[in-house]
Structures are given as structure tokens and as C-alpha cells.
Amino acid sequence: MQKFVLVLMGAMLFNIMVQAIKTDKMVNCYMVIGTPKRFQLKNIDPDLCTHISYAYFDIDNEGLKPFYQLPSNSERFNLKWANSKLKQIAVVGGDKVSTKQFSKMAADPNLRRIFRQSVRVFLVENDFNGLDLHWLYMEKPADKENFVTLIRELREHFKYLDLELGISVIADNKYARLWYDVPNIVENVDFINVMAYNYTDNLLGHNAALFGTGEDNVNASIHFWLSQGAPASKLNMGVAFYGRHYNTMEITKDIVRYMPYYAITDRSEHLKDTVFGFDEDVGRAFLDDPRSWASYESMRGLEMKMAYVKEMGLRGVMIAKLEDDDYRGRFNRTGNYPLLQQLNRQLDERYECRPGICCIKRKTVQSPCFYV
């Protein structure tokens, strides 16, 4: 009898884990095309995302173009075959596209027309489901108005094509006040990725705190957009699967480094003098050793952030980026994609979660549970 119950529980667990996430939230997973080479499309678990966003695409005077060779249609079809509800988004911009190029295109009616047409052709021919405009750091006074014109014309262009239109925005409220015409933006987009990370830049501190004093935290950024008239149902909280690692000994050399979650997890197995902690007041994990300090996303941090997403009624989350998670499960005991799995459990309606634990909703036998 005991063996039968164990087999039944195993079958239940397998059944729920092989199905796509069941949620009304958007789980927008970024993958960067071309780099790093170790991460490939076959490494993606399509059941853990509602959207896959391919970053990044470039623009020139002839419109949209890939920086790197895009994964083939057949490779991307395999993801759709595995999860028929999965949507695939092309991300235009990022830090490799000059703001001058964006500004030039947005200001010129002819270049905007060429861009719209190239986007339509590319998305339709390659079976994409939408576009994400990722214009970083506007500079010219006219950029603010031209950005609205650009997305308004794209929205009109997409009207009969069943294509989604989203934007990714800088979370810094000082920047947002200057450059985002929020009321006119929100009426022309389906979703807004608020990139709620990198608040500290090169300064020592939590780079993506959920709470805190002042405006350099997730809560302040979300409330800015809400206060300006953005509906919560269009806002995605940006979540970075990487941390900022600060060299506290050699302040003139490599003072700050980008550190993916998998590298932080690997570090815990090898450094005896490393102390790992969690700041409950700001919702952020940290590590501390004699030579360095780092702030990073964690299981507990995601628990708090996903509770916030649900409490505030947000559209969902934007994940930057898949390849920074421990996607092969090599440095932890919880399997592939520990962060993304935790995020899924917190948002999936088939789980019942309370602080520190998520359990599959079952009444007939003891439910399998997962602990933070």
C-alpha cells in the first residue's frame, strides 16, 4: 500500500510538472541571441514561460535586422509544439542599439514607415507573436513625443495582425519623469516591462531591492507608473537573475562585476568563508566574504516579489534573463531552473503557497511540497 501511494504521488508530481504553467499572469522570459554560446534554444523549458522574448534586434535605415543569426523557425517551432500557448516576441533595441539610431528613426516619418513594414514582414514570415521596443536612454527633447508617435503608429499597424506590442522601460523614476509620457504610452501598448533592477549601478548596495527608502527600489518604480495612470494589468515587474558583485578590497580594479545566479550558487560550494544572508526589510539576498560583497536574486526574494505581483494585480513578470539561472541544475539540489521554477510555483494556480512553502493542491493524498 505504501508503495502504491508513493507511485501515485510520483505520477501526480510528474503530471503537474510536465504541463505548462497555469496562470493568468505573463511570464516573459528573455533570452539573448548569440551569447553566451553555451546557452541554446534546446536549453529552454517552454512550460515555464508564457512568452519567450528574443533579444536583441538592431535597426538601420532599412528597418529591423538581427544582430546575430536567429534560431531557425524549426527550432522555435519545437518550443511551440511543446507548449502551444507559448508566445514568441522580438525585442528591438537594448544597449547595443545606439540611441541616436532610435532617435533618428522615430523622428522621421519615412523611416518609421520603413521600420513598421520591415517589422510586419519579419514577424509574420517568422511566426512571431509580437514586438518589444527596448529603447534605452533617450537624449533629445523631441524623443519623448516621437516615442509616443512610434508606438501609436505600430499599434495601428498591428491592429489586424493579432500581434502584441510591448515596451521595456528604465525603472529609475527620475529618468521616467523626464522621458515617458505615461498616459499616451499606456493606451497604445499591451504590456510594459518595468526593468526594476540596476538601481545602484556601480555603488555598493542592493541592486534590485523590493522595498527601501527613497526611489531606488521596485515598489517605488511600480507606484510611479500607477500614479501616472498606468493600469496594473499592463505592468510587468522586471526580475534580474543576476547580481552585482563588489570588490571591497581593491577599489581601483574591477570594483563591480556582473554575477549570474548560477555563478553565485556555485560559489557557495567552494568558499568556506562566504556568509549568505537575507535582508527582510528590502527583500534581497546577499553574500559577504573577506574580499567582496554581492546582492542577488534568491528563492526567498522571489517569494516576496511574486506575492507583490499578485497583491498589486500586475500583468506579470519580465525575466532578465534565462541563461543566468542555473538552467542545467548543476549547482543546486532542486533541479533545472531553480529560480524560474520557484517563480512558477508562486504564480501557478495549481499551487497553494504560504511563506516558506508551496504545495500542489490535492485533497485525496498528501500533497508534494516545495520549500523556499
Side-chain angles (χ1 to χ4, degrees):
M1 180 65 181
Q2 184 178 9
K3 182 178 180 181
F4 171 76
V5 172
L6 290 174
V7 170
L8 180 59
M9 289 178 63
M12 290 165 46
L13 181 59
F14 176 78
N15 182 58
I16 196 168
M17 294 306 292
V18 297
Q19 298 179 34
I21 180 173
K22 189 174 182 181
T23 181
D24 61 353
K25 301 298 183 185
M26 182 175 180
V27 181
N28 185 11
C29 301
Y30 265 55
M31 80 159 286
V32 176
I33 305 167
T35 55
K37 293 183 178 179
R38 68 177 186 280
F39 187 81
Q40 302 175 33
L41 216 60
K42 65 182 181 181
N43 297 124
I44 294 177
D45 185 339
D47 289 335
L48 299 179
C49 309
T50 64
H51 294 65
I52 300 290
S53 287
Y54 295 86
Y56 296 95
F57 290 80
D58 196 5
I59 54 174
D60 60 17
N61 290 344
E62 296 180 359
L64 176 148
K65 66 176 184 178
F67 275 114
Y68 303 98
Q69 182 176 353
L70 184 71
S72 68
N73 286 1
S74 61
E75 288 179 292
R76 293 188 297 102
F77 175 79
N78 288 337
L79 296 179
K80 291 282 288 184
W81 182 84
N83 178 3
S84 61
K85 295 182 179 180
L86 183 70
K87 294 186 178 182
Q88 302 192 47
I89 306 294
V91 185
V92 180
D95 57 8
K96 289 188 177 182
V97 174
S98 165
T99 189
K100 293 180 180 179
Q101 186 65 40
F102 252 123
S103 181
K104 177 183 176 182
M105 182 268 289
D108 188 318
N110 186 53
L111 290 179
R112 290 200 307 270
R113 177 185 59 79
I114 292 172
F115 177 71
R116 291 195 306 272
Q117 292 175 344
S118 71
V119 166
R120 180 193 64 196
V121 171
F122 178 85
L123 297 184
V124 173
E125 288 186 350
N126 291 280
D127 198 29
F128 274 82
N129 303 104
L131 184 76
D132 172 6
L133 280 177
H134 201 98
W135 182 356
L136 299 181
Y137 303 113
M138 302 175 196
E139 295 178 349
K140 294 182 177 181
D143 287 346
K144 182 175 182 177
E145 181 179 352
N146 291 339
F147 182 55
V148 172
T149 301
L150 174 63
I151 60 174
R152 181 180 291 125
E153 291 176 353
L154 281 167
R155 161 57 62 216
E156 186 67 23
H157 205 61
F158 284 6
K159 184 182 296 184
Y160 305 107
L161 296 174
D162 192 27
L163 295 172
E164 294 188 16
L165 177 62
I167 60 172
S168 294
V169 296
I170 301 293
D172 185 327
N173 287 350
K174 295 185 290 295
Y175 178 91
R177 289 188 186 95
L178 286 174
W179 297 107
Y180 297 135
D181 180 355
V182 177
N184 284 311
I185 286 175
V186 297
E187 68 180 25
N188 290 293
V189 296
D190 297 300
F191 62 88
I192 300 168
N193 297 322
V194 181
M195 296 185 289
Y197 40 84
N198 293 345
Y199 289 103
T200 56
D201 197 15
N202 291 328
L203 300 176
L204 184 66
H206 290 293
N207 68 308
L210 177 56
F211 300 110
T213 58
E215 295 189 321
D216 291 337
N217 58 77
V218 178
N219 180 55
S221 295
I222 295 299
H223 274 87
F224 167 79
W225 283 85
L226 294 174
S227 71
Q228 297 300 304
S233 58
K234 288 191 177 185
L235 297 179
N236 287 331
M237 176 197 291
V239 177
F241 282 1
Y242 61 85
R244 293 291 186 184
H245 183 250
Y246 302 85
N247 187 329
T248 57
M249 297 293 290
E250 301 177 30
I251 61 174
T252 60
K253 181 182 179 182
D254 297 330
I255 187 171
V256 182
R257 285 195 303 121
Y258 176 104
M259 182 173 277
Y261 175 75
Y262 68 81
I264 294 171
T265 308
D266 182 35
R267 183 185 182 90
S268 67
E269 299 292 329
H270 300 290
L271 296 183
K272 296 181 181 179
D273 295 330
T274 301
V275 175
F276 288 80
F278 189 83
D279 189 333
E280 291 283 349
D281 290 335
V282 302
R284 193 71 174 166
F286 63 90
L287 66 83
D288 191 8
D289 64 44
R291 300 182 62 85
S292 63
W293 187 90
S295 172
Y296 65 96
E297 199 56 82
S298 66
M299 298 292 203
R300 173 66 178 133
L302 282 177
E303 179 183 54
M304 291 180 66
K305 285 184 175 179
M306 294 310 101
Y308 183 94
V309 166
K310 291 186 286 187
E311 179 184 351
M312 299 299 293
L314 303 185
R315 172 77 184 273
V317 292
M318 165 261 202
I319 296 157
K321 47 199 184 325
L322 286 178
E323 52 264 42
D324 285 342
D325 201 352
D326 184 8
Y327 59 90
R328 291 177 177 168
R330 299 173 67 180
F331 306 113
N332 71 91
R333 299 181 179 88
T334 58
N336 298 353
Y337 286 108
L339 290 183
L340 189 54
Q341 291 277 12
Q342 163 71 339
L343 185 150
N344 270 242
R345 287 191 288 268
Q346 297 292 329
L347 297 181
D348 195 320
E349 63 187 50
R350 295 169 297 178
Y351 287 87
E352 183 175 359
C353 296
R354 58 183 188 273
I357 185 173
C358 285
C359 297
I360 298 173
K361 293 180 180 178
R362 296 289 184 181
K363 296 181 180 179
T364 55
V365 296
Q366 185 177 356
S367 299
C369 295
F370 299 86
Y371 296 89
V372 173

